[in-house]
């Protein structure tokens, strides 16, 4: 609230999260229900979760288990039916400039160029900046993700990986203290995906690992490589948290070497066991 | 600009050359096809003319009469004797007026219908009842209200132009994808920014589809409208030629109407393309 009294400077935006609570996100007893023709439907039920500042947390689970719904309560796109979500100590009532969003399907506006896509977001969120400050910010962000030479292209002219880089750049440009990624790399091929993981971590490092990142995924390897903790969800409806798995692997992590780490293999097996009931296909006779 | 290495530059030039030649040859081919089509039409026409024992004039006598018309298209010998150019121009102007007025009403109304469920529920039944009515049925109402045939003709074009534009605009506005709405929500777009940066760009291709359909129907209707109102336009020219017993003039008129219709459609197709985007 106090930010509204005076126009904040760039420094204030960068430092806005200093001095606030160390808990970046608090989810307290959140239930989300939707009305359906068949009656009330609970997507997630009574979930509590605390995420520390600078932490990378993945939410993993089967399709339709409510993991995106849970994340959308943090972004403010979905209002909890019960309970509350605090972001940087403030109650979430809707989307806000302290939380950047990356959507599953990029969600770039196809009639705007790469530059304009980022500029419109910046222009809308950072109202107190003047035009030249905004322009510089967009340019710097584009250079940071190596997209500057593509700035005048339309999204239709970009590959899937580049589109998602633009979407990530758009979320980073407003310099949020919390970054929310909803299955961000789900549509990308394995090679592009791997390089995007590294780019994401680079951006996180550039900011001294101050940003909190919450990511929804169904990819076990991706979750382990990126996260400090992995939240495993039960199958919906009325999904709850099945387990929270710590990933105590040292950073920086090496894509190629990490898979041979015994700790990695242990976590991988543990997650696989939780997510897959049957680990091998049944015998033909017994399945008939 | 950074200077590309010579080899790469050559490659680019080469690629460009191939694309350019491909383009030319495909254009040439489409011209050849077009001429073939015209040839078939002329042949069919000539054969029909001979089979009808001259009831239907062949291409050559038609051309001779038609050429006389085209030699002096803008003469004006009073209300019932004008050059074909003047008549045609009158038709185009009336279509333009009616179409513009129709667009001015249909686009805002379409946006309202697309944006508001209530407005849609109220106005949709009205639209559904009025849409299938032949625009010519409105002619007497136009006459009664405006007391002048030219204004009544503009009025029926106005009515004609309403429906396709209205329906397509409403469709465009009401189908803005949730993804785009989410962007606006997530980044806190103002109402104004939402309309200018999302709603309008998304709906524009749909609006132009509506406009293209509208101008097509308007050009169809003007001929019939002017046959009804008499004394003006290319529609009157056709009817007048019938009364004068000149098949050649009628066929010439039909060709002119077709060519102008084609040009209008191509023009709007170009407009439509320039406002569409790749997904």
């Amino acid at each position: 609230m106090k930010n509204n009294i005076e126009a904040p400077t760039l420094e204030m935006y960068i430092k806005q999260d200093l001095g606030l609570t160390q808990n970046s996100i608090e989810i307290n007893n959140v239930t989300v229900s939707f009305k359906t023709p068949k009656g009330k439907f609970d997507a997630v039920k009574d979930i509590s979760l605390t995420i520390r500042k600078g932490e990378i947390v993945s939410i993993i689970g089967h399709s339709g288990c409510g993991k995106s719904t849970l994340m959308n309560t943090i972004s403010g796109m979905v209002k909890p039916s019960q309970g509350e979500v605090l972001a940087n100590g403030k109650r979430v009532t809707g989307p806000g400039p302290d939380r950047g969003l990356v959507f599953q399907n990029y969600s770039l506006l196809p009639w705007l160029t790469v530059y304009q896509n980022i500029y419109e977001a910046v222009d809308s969120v950072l109202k107190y900046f003047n035009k030249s400050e905004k322009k510089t910010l967009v340019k710097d962000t584009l250079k940071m993700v190596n997209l500057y030479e593509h700035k005048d292209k339309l999204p239709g002219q970009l590959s899937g990986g580049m589109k998602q880089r633009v979407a990530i750049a758009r979320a980073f440009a407003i310099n949020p203290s919390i970054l929310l990624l909803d299955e961000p790399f789900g549509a990308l091929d394995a090679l592009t995906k791997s390089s995007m993981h590294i780019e994401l971590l680079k951006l996180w490092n550039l900011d001294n690992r101050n940003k909190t990142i919450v990511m929804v995924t169904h990819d076990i390897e991706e979750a382990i490589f990126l996260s400090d903790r992995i939240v495993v969800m039960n199958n919906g409806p009325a999904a709850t948290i099945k387990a929270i798995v710590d990933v105590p692997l040292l950073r920086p992590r090496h894509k190629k070497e990490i898979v041979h780490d015994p700790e990695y293999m242990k976590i991988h097996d543990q997650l696989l066991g939780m997510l897959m009931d049957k680990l091998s296909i049944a015998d033909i006779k017994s399945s008939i | 600009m950074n200077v590309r290495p010579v080899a790469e530059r050559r490659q680019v030039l080469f690629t460009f050359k191939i694309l350019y030649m491909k383009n030319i040859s495909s254009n040439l081919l489409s011209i050849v096809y077009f001429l073939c089509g015209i040839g078939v039409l002329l042949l069919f026409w000539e054969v029909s003319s001979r089979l009808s024992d001259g009831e239907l004039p062949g291409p050559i006598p038609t051309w001779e009469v038609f050429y006389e018309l085209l030699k002096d298209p803008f003469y004006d010998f009073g209300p019932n004797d004008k050059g074909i150019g003047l008549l045609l121009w009158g038709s185009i102007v009336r279509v333009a007026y009616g179409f513009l007025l129709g667009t001015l009403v249909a686009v805002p109304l379409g946006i309202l219908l697309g944006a508001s469920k209530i407005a849609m529920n109220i106005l949709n039944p009205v639209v559904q009842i009025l849409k299938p009515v032949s625009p010519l049925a409105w002619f007497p109402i136009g006459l009664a209200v405006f007391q002048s045939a030219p204004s009544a003709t503009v009025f029926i074009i106005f009515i004609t132009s309403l429906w396709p534009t209205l329906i397509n605009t409403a469709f465009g506005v009401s189908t803005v994808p949730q993804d785009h709405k989410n962007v606006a929500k997530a980044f806190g777009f103002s109402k104004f920014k939402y309309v200018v940066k999302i709603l309008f760009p998304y709906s524009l291709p749909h609006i132009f589809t509506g406009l293209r359909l509208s101008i097509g129907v308007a050009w169809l209707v003007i001929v019939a409208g002017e046959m009804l109102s008499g004394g003006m336009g290319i529609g009157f020219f056709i009817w007048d030629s019938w009364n004068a017993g000149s098949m050649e003039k009628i066929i010439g008129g039909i060709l002119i109407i077709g060519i102008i219709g084609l040009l209008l459609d191509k023009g709007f197709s170009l407009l439509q393309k320039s406002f569409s985007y790749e997904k």
Side-chain angles (χ1 to χ4, degrees):
Chain A
M1 274 295 117
K2 64 177 181 271
N3 277 3
N4 291 349
I5 296 163
E6 57 181 11
T9 61
L10 184 57
E11 284 75 24
M12 277 179 71
Y13 266 106
I14 292 167
K15 290 173 185 165
Q16 67 180 1
D17 41 18
L18 297 177
L20 288 168
T21 62
Q22 282 301 294
N23 281 339
S24 176
I25 301 163
E26 283 179 51
I27 300 174
N28 297 325
N29 309 100
V30 160
T31 299
V32 180
S33 353
F34 296 108
K35 274 183 205 154
T36 66
K38 287 177 188 165
K40 208 176 77 169
F41 167 79
D42 289 340
V44 295
K45 193 159 178 78
D46 200 24
I47 288 188
S48 293
L49 176 69
T50 302
I51 298 169
R52 288 184 299 275
K53 185 173 178 317
E55 213 179 0
I56 302 184
V57 172
S58 293
I59 304 173
I60 198 165
H62 289 286
S63 316
C65 75
K67 49 192 193 303
S68 293
T69 309
L70 179 65
M71 207 193 65
N72 282 336
T73 62
I74 307 172
S75 68
M77 302 288 279
V78 168
K79 280 202 178 87
S81 321
Q82 282 164 40
E84 60 167 8
V85 179
L86 302 180
N88 297 317
K90 277 185 277 183
R91 191 186 170 140
V92 171
T93 53
D98 56 337
R99 283 153 290 141
L101 250 77
V102 177
F103 300 95
Q104 180 175 8
N105 37 14
Y106 325 124
S107 288
L108 302 173
L109 301 175
W111 43 85
L112 298 181
T113 62
V114 167
Y115 178 90
Q116 290 165 332
N117 260 289
I118 300 177
Y119 184 84
E120 293 307 332
V122 165
D123 182 47
S124 180
V125 172
L126 306 177
K127 294 188 180 69
Y128 297 107
F129 282 31
N130 64 38
K131 210 163 196 168
S132 72
E133 278 175 320
K134 287 178 203 164
K135 277 182 182 166
T136 318
L137 180 61
V138 176
K139 267 185 204 162
D140 289 348
T141 313
L142 279 170
K143 280 176 186 156
M144 203 163 69
V145 293
N146 295 320
L147 279 171
Y148 191 71
E149 62 266 46
H150 303 292
K151 71 179 164 61
D152 295 322
K153 286 188 181 160
L154 292 168
Q157 297 166 291
L158 303 178
S159 66
M162 273 158 88
K163 278 186 214 170
Q164 197 54 297
R165 257 154 73 201
V166 178
I168 291 174
R170 181 173 63 181
F172 262 89
I174 58 172
N175 197 30
S177 58
I178 299 169
L179 201 65
L180 303 166
L181 311 162
D182 188 358
E183 295 191 31
F185 312 124
L188 304 180
D189 64 273
L191 291 174
T192 315
K193 207 181 213 182
S194 290
S195 60
M196 293 293 293
H197 292 156
I198 290 164
E199 279 200 51
L200 179 67
L201 290 176
K202 265 188 199 160
L203 287 170
W204 184 61
N205 281 337
L206 275 179
D207 199 42
N208 299 318
R209 302 184 182 178
N210 268 326
K211 286 196 202 317
T212 310
I213 299 180
V214 182
M215 180 177 70
V216 166
T217 180
H218 47 233
D219 181 334
I220 294 177
E221 287 82 12
E222 175 175 277
I224 305 176
F225 181 71
L226 293 173
S227 323
D228 297 308
R229 282 192 296 156
I230 299 171
V231 176
V232 185
M233 304 263 301
N234 273 321
N235 277 354
T240 51
I241 293 177
K242 191 180 218 170
I244 298 176
V245 177
D246 277 310
V247 187
L249 301 167
L250 287 177
R251 293 183 195 272
R253 296 170 184 172
H254 192 284
K255 261 265 160 199
K256 221 168 88 187
E257 287 159 12
I258 196 173
V259 294
H260 302 300
D261 191 318
E263 186 76 26
Y264 176 94
M265 290 191 250
K266 205 186 91 194
I267 298 167
H268 191 276
D269 285 355
Q270 195 186 349
L271 289 170
L272 207 58
M274 278 191 260
L275 290 168
M276 311 262 277
D277 299 331
K278 292 181 189 135
L279 288 172
S280 66
I281 55 165
D283 197 62
I284 292 175
K285 277 175 192 162
S286 65
S287 73
I288 291 172
Chain B
M1 280 297 287
N2 51 345
V3 182
R4 291 167 191 275
V6 175
E8 198 190 332
R9 230 164 31 198
R10 243 180 227 153
Q11 182 61 47
V12 169
L13 210 67
F14 185 63
T15 318
F16 177 72
K17 235 181 199 168
I18 286 183
L19 283 175
Y20 185 66
M21 276 159 62
K22 243 187 184 165
N23 217 349
I24 283 201
S25 67
S26 82
N27 274 346
L28 259 178
L29 210 60
S30 66
I31 289 171
V32 170
Y33 283 138
F34 176 72
L35 291 177
C36 280
I38 297 288
V40 169
L41 180 70
L42 288 175
L43 196 70
F44 183 72
W45 183 3
E46 181 63 42
V47 169
S48 313
S49 156
R50 293 201 181 168
L51 287 177
S52 72
D53 274 339
E55 268 306 305
L56 179 74
I60 294 162
T62 304
W63 171 248
E64 280 164 358
V65 174
F66 196 45
Y67 182 71
E68 287 302 311
L69 286 173
L70 290 181
K71 261 203 323 209
D72 186 15
F74 295 109
Y75 73 85
D76 188 352
F77 299 144
N80 281 331
D81 193 8
K82 287 191 172 70
I84 191 162
L86 272 184
L87 292 172
L88 189 65
W89 179 244
S91 295
I92 291 173
V93 168
R94 277 185 289 280
V95 164
Y97 274 127
F99 175 76
L100 275 177
L101 287 171
T103 303
L104 283 178
V105 174
V107 170
L109 207 59
I111 291 175
L112 179 73
L113 251 62
S116 150
K117 272 229 161 74
I118 299 171
M120 179 64 106
N121 288 336
I122 293 173
L123 288 173
N124 194 38
V126 180
V127 173
Q128 294 304 328
I129 290 173
L130 296 182
K131 190 177 65 125
V133 177
S134 165
L136 294 173
W138 291 88
F139 190 70
I141 296 184
L143 273 181
V145 172
F146 299 105
Q147 301 287 330
S148 108
S151 302
T153 313
V154 171
F155 175 69
I156 61 169
I157 296 300
F158 162 78
I159 297 280
T160 305
S161 312
L162 280 181
W163 314 122
T165 308
L166 181 74
I167 289 164
N168 279 280
T169 305
F171 175 79
V173 170
S174 66
T175 53
V176 175
Q178 192 59 40
D179 283 352
H180 299 337
K181 289 183 187 162
N182 281 346
V183 171
K185 205 175 164 194
F187 295 99
F189 278 24
S190 61
K191 266 260 150 60
F192 177 75
K193 201 187 260 306
Y194 175 73
V195 169
V196 172
K197 298 294 177 183
I198 294 180
L199 186 85
F200 213 60
Y202 177 80
S203 315
L204 262 186
H206 294 283
I207 295 176
F208 274 98
T209 304
L211 292 179
R212 191 178 164 193
L213 290 170
S214 284
I215 196 81
V217 188
W219 190 243
L220 283 180
V221 166
I222 190 73
V223 177
E226 285 167 348
M227 282 182 172
L228 212 57
S229 66
M232 59 182 184
I234 193 76
F236 165 72
F237 173 82
I238 301 270
W239 198 243
D240 191 43
S241 305
W242 166 250
N243 287 334
S246 170
M247 253 334 159
E248 292 86 350
K249 279 187 177 179
I250 294 178
I251 296 173
I254 287 174
L255 284 177
I256 286 188
I257 292 167
I259 289 166
I260 299 293
L262 176 75
L263 290 178
L264 284 174
D265 189 63
K266 285 281 168 215
F268 273 82
S269 155
L270 276 179
L271 264 177
Q272 197 182 6
K273 266 187 199 141
S274 70
F275 282 101
S276 59
Y277 48 85
E278 241 181 295
K279 283 254 156 64

